[in-house]
C-alpha cells in the first residue's frame, strides 16, 4: 500500500525527532517516496545529513536557498504529497497549525496541502495536558487532521506521563489508515444544521441561545472525511468551516428553514444539530426601541420546525435530530423521534457535567425505535464518529 506513495514527513524541534529517523527508514523500506521537511529547531535535534541519507532526498527547511535563490514551493509540495505526517509535532507547531500561522516551509506546506494529514504530538506531560494544547488538538481534529496519540511512559525530562511520541511502527500503521481512509460516504450528500439562530427584536437587539455549533461542525467534518458532499447550514458561531465542507450562513430560524428546504431535495442525510429558536418576535421594529419607565412586553410567535418539515418529506433518507433536555429526558426524546419522523435522536442532558454547550466534550445517548445506546463523556469529535457510524448503518438498510 505504501509503495510509490508520496509522503511528507515534517519534523519539528523536540527530542523525539530522533525517532523520525526510524520512521523514515521504515517508510522507505516499504517503497514510499519520502520528502522530509524540518523546522530550524528540528535541525538542533537531528542532522539534515542523517535525514537526507535515510530519505534519499535533500531535506527542506527554508522557503528558498539563500545561496542560489532556488525556491522550495510549498504549493508544489502540498500537491505532490499523498499524505503529510508531522512527527514529532511540538506544542508550538500544533498551536501554529491551529491558528493558520505559516512562518516556516513546514507550516506553509501544511496550509497548502490537499492530502490527508496526521500529527504525532510529543512533549512533556504538563505541556500536553495544558488546555491550550488540548484545544489546539481538538481544533485540528475537527478540521480532519488525524491525531496519532502520544503514549504514556518515561519522558526525556525525567518525569513520567503522557507525552511520548507514538513509536515509528505505530505511525506507519496510522499512515496506512490515513491513505486508506475509506470513503464510505462517497457519492452521498449530507445536510447538517449547526449553531444558534438569532431572532431580531430591533436593529440592535436579538434573542439567541448558548449554542456554539461545535457538535454540528464536528459532525460535518466527520461526514466530509468519509467522502460525503456536505452542506453546513450554520447559524451564529465563531468556528471556522471544516475542510471540504460548504457552509451556508443563515441568521434566523426562518432563514434556516428556507435554506434547509432548498437543500433537502438533493440530500441523502440530514443532521439537525442547530439550536433553533422556537419563538421569534412577532414584529421587528425597524428602529431602535426606546426605553420608557414602563415594563415592556414583546409578543412572540412560533417559528417553523425544520426537522419536522424535513421529516414529513423524508422518503428514504436518513434524518437525525438532537434532544437537549433538562428533565424527563428519555420520554421527551422518544416523543421527538415520532413527532419529527426521525431515524434516531441524539440525546444530551444538561444534567450531565461536561456535556452540551460550549465545551469540547459531550455525553450522549442514541435513541431509535429499537432501543438506546449510552456512551461515556467523550470528545465531540469522537461523538461525531459514533453518530456517523450509526448513519452509515441505517443507510445500508434503506
Ligand atoms: O422540538 P425541539 O426543539 O426540542 O427538537 C430539537 C430538534 O429539532 C433538534 O434536532 C433541532 O435542531 C430541531 N429543530 C428544528 N427546528 C426548530 C426547532 C428544533 O429543526 N424550529
Amino acid at each position: 500500500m505504501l509503495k510509490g506513495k508520496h509522503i511528507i514527513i515534517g519534523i519539528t524541534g523536540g527530542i523525539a525527532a530522533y525517532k523520525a529517523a526510524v520512521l523514515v527508514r521504515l517508510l522507505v523500506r516499504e517503497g514510499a517516496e519520502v520528502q522530509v521537511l524540518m523546522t530550524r529547531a528540528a535541525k538542533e535535534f537531528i542532522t539534515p545529513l542523517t535525514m537526507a541519507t535515510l530519505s534519499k532526498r535533500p531535506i527542506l527547511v527554508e522557503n528558498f536557498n539563500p545561496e542560489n535563490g532556488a525556491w522550495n514551493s510549498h504549493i508544489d509540495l502540498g500537491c505532490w504529497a499523498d499524505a503529510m505526517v508531522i512527527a514529532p509535532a511540538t506544542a508550538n507547531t500544533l498551536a501554529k497549525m491551529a491558528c493558520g500561522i505559516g512562518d516556516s516551509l513546514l507550516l506553509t506546506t501544511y496550509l497548502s496541502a490537499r492530502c490527508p494529514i496526521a500529527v504525532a504530538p510529543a512533549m512533556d506531560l504538563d505541556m500536553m495536558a495544558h488546555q491550550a494544547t488540548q484545544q489546539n488538538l481538538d481544533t485540528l481534529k475537527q478540521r480532519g487532521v488525524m491525531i496519532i496519540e502520544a503514549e504514556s511512559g518515561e519522558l526525556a525530562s525525567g518525569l513520567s506521563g503522557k507525552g511520548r511520541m507514538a513509536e515509528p511502527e505505530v505511525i506507519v500503521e496510522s499512515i496506512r489508515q490515513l491513505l486508506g481512509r475509506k470513503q464510505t460516504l462517497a457519492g452521498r450528500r449530507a445536510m447538517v444544521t449547526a449553531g444558534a439562530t438569532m431572532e431580531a427584536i430591533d436593529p440592535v437587539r436579538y434573542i439567541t441561545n448558548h449554542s456554539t455549533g461545535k457538535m454540528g461542525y464536528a459532525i460535518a467534518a466527520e461526514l466530509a472525511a468519509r467522502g460525503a458532499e456536505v452542506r453546513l447550514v450554520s447559524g451564529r458561531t465563531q468556528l471556522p468551516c471544516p475542510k471540504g465542507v460548504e457552509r451556508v450562513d443563515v441568521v434566523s430560524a426562518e432563514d434556516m428553514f428556507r435554506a434547509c428546504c432548498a437543500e433537502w431535495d438533493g440530500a441523502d442525510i440530514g443532521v439537525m444539530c442547530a439550536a433553533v429558536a422556537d419563538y421569534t418576535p412577532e414584529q421587528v421594529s425597524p428602529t431602535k426601541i426606546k426605553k420608557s419607565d414602563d415594563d415592556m412586553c414583546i409578543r412572540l410567535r412560533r417559528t417553523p420546525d425544520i426537522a419536522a418539515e424535513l421529516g414529513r418529506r423524508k422518503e428514504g433518507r436518513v434524518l437525525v435530530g438532537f434532544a437537549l433536555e433538562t428533565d424527563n429526558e428519555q420520554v421527551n426524546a422518544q416523543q421527538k423521534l415520532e413527532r419529527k419522523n426521525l431515524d434516531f435522536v441524539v440525546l444530551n442532558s444538561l444534567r450531565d457535567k461536561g456535556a452540551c454547550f460550549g465545551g469540547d466534550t459531550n455525553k450522549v445517548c442514541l435513541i431509535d425505535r429499537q432501543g438506546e445506546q449510552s456512551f461515556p463523556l467523550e470528545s465531540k469529535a469522537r461523538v461525531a464518529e459514533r453518530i456517523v457510524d450509526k448513519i452509515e448503518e441505517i443507510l445500508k438498510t434503506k
Side-chain angles (χ1 to χ4, degrees):
M1 171 189 244
L2 291 171
K3 194 164 172 25
K5 292 289 183 198
H6 295 173
I7 298 176
I8 293 180
I9 297 294
I11 307 179
T12 67
I15 186 61
Y18 78 92
K19 289 196 202 170
V22 182
L23 172 62
V24 169
R25 201 186 158 96
L26 291 174
L27 292 170
V28 170
R29 199 185 288 160
E30 297 235 12
E33 287 187 41
V34 181
Q35 175 63 64
V36 174
L37 306 186
M38 294 173 84
T39 59
R40 286 180 202 166
K43 292 197 297 179
E44 306 292 333
F45 290 90
I46 188 156
T47 71
L49 181 60
T50 305
M51 296 316 302
T53 310
L54 292 171
S55 65
K56 306 184 196 306
R57 282 167 182 263
I59 64 113
L60 303 173
V61 179
E62 307 291 347
N63 284 305
F64 62 90
N65 182 334
E67 305 272 291
N68 60 14
W71 180 248
N72 297 320
S73 167
H74 54 281
I75 314 272
D76 292 347
L77 283 164
C79 291
W80 173 85
D82 294 312
M84 177 171 185
V85 181
I86 300 169
T90 56
N92 179 49
T93 290
L94 292 170
K96 287 179 178 175
M97 288 170 74
C99 288
I101 293 171
D103 64 358
S104 69
L105 179 65
L106 188 152
L107 286 163
T108 49
T109 304
Y110 157 69
L111 290 170
S112 348
R114 292 179 177 176
C115 59
I117 294 169
V119 292
M123 63 201 76
D124 215 42
L125 74 161
D126 295 309
M127 294 173 82
M128 179 67 88
H130 199 284
Q131 232 184 338
T133 307
Q134 288 303 313
Q135 273 178 10
N136 290 331
L137 283 168
D138 230 71
T139 301
L140 294 174
K141 196 164 178 184
Q142 269 191 36
R143 293 182 194 151
V145 173
M146 177 194 270
I147 314 294
I148 308 172
E149 289 292 335
E151 294 166 4
S152 287
E154 198 185 313
L155 302 166
S157 60
L159 298 174
S160 192
K162 185 171 175 180
R164 283 170 64 95
M165 187 175 84
E167 291 305 320
E169 291 76 8
V170 174
I171 299 177
V172 171
E173 221 22 69
S174 303
I175 296 173
R176 273 192 236 281
Q177 267 181 33
L178 200 60
L179 287 167
R181 181 140 197 202
K182 290 218 169 59
Q183 299 288 288
T184 37
L185 291 173
R188 300 286 194 174
R189 240 196 194 193
M191 186 185 80
V192 181
T193 67
T197 63
M198 288 163 63
E199 310 299 323
I201 297 170
D202 67 14
V204 183
R205 289 90 164 204
Y206 54 83
I207 300 170
T208 191
N209 57 67
H210 293 296
S211 171
T212 55
K214 283 185 179 175
M215 194 61 248
Y217 273 54
I219 294 168
E222 185 58 30
L223 287 162
R226 296 192 199 188
E229 191 185 315
V230 186
R231 299 278 157 79
L232 176 57
V233 182
S234 176
R236 179 191 51 78
T237 158
Q238 305 288 325
L239 301 171
C241 184
K243 201 170 157 192
V245 169
E246 194 178 317
R247 186 164 75 185
V248 180
D249 289 313
V250 296
V251 178
S252 66
E254 190 72 42
D255 295 341
M256 189 172 270
F257 179 76
R258 271 196 298 271
C260 289
C261 289
E263 296 290 342
W264 191 226
D265 283 342
D268 304 289
I269 301 161
V271 185
M272 306 284 100
C273 199
V276 187
D278 293 319
Y279 295 91
T280 193
E282 198 167 57
Q283 272 168 355
V284 182
S285 168
T287 51
K288 186 179 171 195
I289 300 170
K290 294 276 172 242
K291 64 172 164 286
S292 70
D293 290 337
D294 296 332
D295 293 341
M296 77 175 294
C297 181
I298 300 172
R299 203 179 154 75
L300 304 175
R301 67 172 161 78
R302 273 301 315 258
T303 54
D305 190 318
I306 306 165
E309 174 58 24
L310 303 188
R312 273 191 283 277
R313 308 201 263 128
K314 201 164 76 150
E315 294 135 19
R317 302 168 189 141
V318 180
L319 185 60
V320 183
F322 274 69
L324 170 60
E325 303 293 340
T326 53
D327 56 280
N328 220 4
E329 290 94 338
Q330 252 75 4
V331 175
N332 285 335
Q334 285 285 355
Q335 284 173 354
K336 238 162 265 192
L337 190 69
E338 297 307 329
R339 202 171 60 240
K340 306 192 187 211
N341 193 21
L342 305 169
D343 287 274
F344 68 95
V345 169
V346 183
L347 168 66
N348 29 199
S349 169
L350 269 183
R351 286 200 275 196
D352 287 323
K353 254 192 134 171
C356 304
F357 296 131
D360 294 316
T361 52
N362 204 357
K363 184 170 182 311
V364 300
C365 175
L366 307 187
I367 300 180
D368 64 15
R369 288 174 183 79
Q370 275 72 54
E372 53 182 68
Q373 228 182 335
S374 292
F375 295 100
L377 187 71
E378 296 177 313
S379 72
K380 286 189 171 165
R382 181 73 189 114
V383 173
E385 284 172 11
R386 296 200 186 277
I387 292 167
V388 179
D389 284 346
K390 191 162 174 77
I391 290 172
E392 281 196 17
E393 248 173 62
I394 298 170
L395 272 174
K396 283 186 204 137
T397 66
K398 295 259 174 191

